[in-house]
Amino acid sequence: MRTIIAGNWKMHKDLQGAIDLVDALLSGSKDMPAGPAVVIAPAFPFLGIAVERTRGSRIAVAAQNCHQAAQGAYTGEVSVPMLKSLGVSHCIVGHSERRQYFGETDAAVGEKIGALLEHGITPIYCCGERKEEREGGRHFDVVGTQLKAALGGLAPDRIGRIIVAYEPVWAIGTGLTATAQQAQDMHAHIRSLLGTHGDVVAREVPILYGGSCNPKNAEELFACPDVNGGLIGGAALIAEQFLDLVRIAQLVKHLN
Ligand code: 13P
């Protein structure tokens, strides 16, 4: 199973800040053993420059969102063919911040995943329950419903090309983290749901953990058998921390 460390920069950094972070990651990751795949997701205006600077390196570039239509009168939106033309290889979809602040629905997320796969861009599909849903014991059902809505219409060979990120909403940017047991239980649940689309899907789709993951708690989380890496927010903005997470994933997943 692949291990992936992905950084979601959200709406942070200006042009110079983005360049500095990309360059720090490039120089810091040069001599690292080639275990985990490394993905960074800067904001839209910096995708082109990130792709150019990382070309030929181990760092892949993701967008944080896309529109499902190939083109059209959708002011302010960015299409999948636009991302493709820049050389972007991955795209985060369905992040809880997009669902919460921009009204993104499961159905729209499903369409975005379809559009990305059609153009050969790997979707990083986010799912996760809110605090009250976990407290009410509904977390497995909530995540199951999200997965079904997003993936239900896709053929198994397409589902096998996505990356799933489990991001409990109550853990995002809060300093609270799922315990290793909570993460493992949910990741195993997601893997069993993926298995309904075929054994290959369950075996090949990486499931990343996201939510206040940092170098202090990563070892325990990455050691879970069904956690295949992380989707990192705050700690992805500091080169040393993000590189530490890559090193930890390397140690936990590839040396034992
Ligand atoms: P934090 O790591 O800042 O909690 O953010 C996680 C996240 O939302 C990544 O997509």
Side-chain angles (χ1 to χ4, degrees):
M1 174 62 81
R2 292 171 288 157
T3 307
I4 300 162
I5 301 296
N8 176 6
W9 295 7
K10 306 190 181 183
M11 200 172 73
H12 293 290
K13 304 289 176 189
D14 59 9
L15 175 60
Q16 194 56 51
I19 290 173
D20 291 347
L21 183 49
V22 170
D23 288 352
L25 295 175
L26 279 172
S27 65
S29 63
K30 247 194 319 247
D31 302 324
M32 278 192 193
V38 180
V39 182
I40 55 170
F44 280 135
F46 314 132
L47 288 173
I49 204 155
V51 168
E52 272 167 34
R53 287 179 112 79
T54 56
R55 193 163 284 135
S57 80
R58 67 183 293 185
I59 300 176
V61 177
Q64 299 173 17
N65 182 32
C66 63
H67 194 276
Q68 54 271 45
Q71 60 179 330
Y74 300 104
T75 301
E77 292 292 317
V78 174
S79 75
V80 177
M82 290 174 185
L83 297 175
K84 185 79 188 168
S85 72
L86 282 176
V88 166
S89 57
H90 295 66
C91 183
I92 298 169
V93 275
H95 193 282
S96 62
E97 287 152 15
R98 299 235 31 107
R99 297 177 193 259
Q100 186 180 345
Y101 304 129
F102 303 99
E104 200 156 290
T105 61
D106 284 333
V109 172
E111 287 175 16
K112 290 178 187 203
I113 292 174
L116 288 164
L117 290 172
E118 199 168 305
H119 290 89
I121 296 184
T122 303
I124 303 176
Y125 165 68
C126 302
C127 56
E129 81 285 357
R130 295 197 300 266
K131 184 165 176 271
E132 61 275 18
E133 292 165 337
R134 176 158 287 265
E135 285 170 352
R138 301 196 305 280
H139 43 291
F140 291 123
D141 285 348
V142 167
V143 169
T145 304
Q146 290 172 344
L147 270 181
K148 208 166 164 186
L151 308 182
L154 296 171
D157 64 317
R158 292 202 151 191
I159 300 176
R161 285 162 37 208
I162 73 169
I163 296 167
V164 174
Y166 168 57
E167 300 208 314
V169 179
W170 47 271
I172 295 177
T174 57
L176 297 172
T177 323
T179 63
Q181 192 63 55
Q182 285 172 327
Q184 170 55 28
D185 289 350
M186 183 58 86
H187 282 230
H189 177 63
I190 292 170
R191 197 168 307 288
S192 79
L193 294 171
L194 290 170
T196 62
H197 300 278
D199 292 348
V200 178
V201 172
R203 256 199 329 267
E204 291 189 353
V205 172
I207 308 173
L208 314 184
Y209 170 79
S212 299
C213 184
N214 62 48
K216 288 201 176 80
N217 55 33
E219 188 173 342
E220 212 186 345
L221 289 161
F222 295 169
C224 299
D226 286 302
V227 174
N228 308 117
L231 179 55
I232 316 298
L237 299 173
I238 302 158
E240 222 15 82
Q241 290 198 16
F242 189 68
L243 291 167
D244 269 353
L245 289 165
V246 178
R247 282 185 206 105
I248 293 166
Q250 165 74 26
L251 284 172
V252 174
K253 293 293 192 197
H254 295 273
L255 284 186
N256 53 26

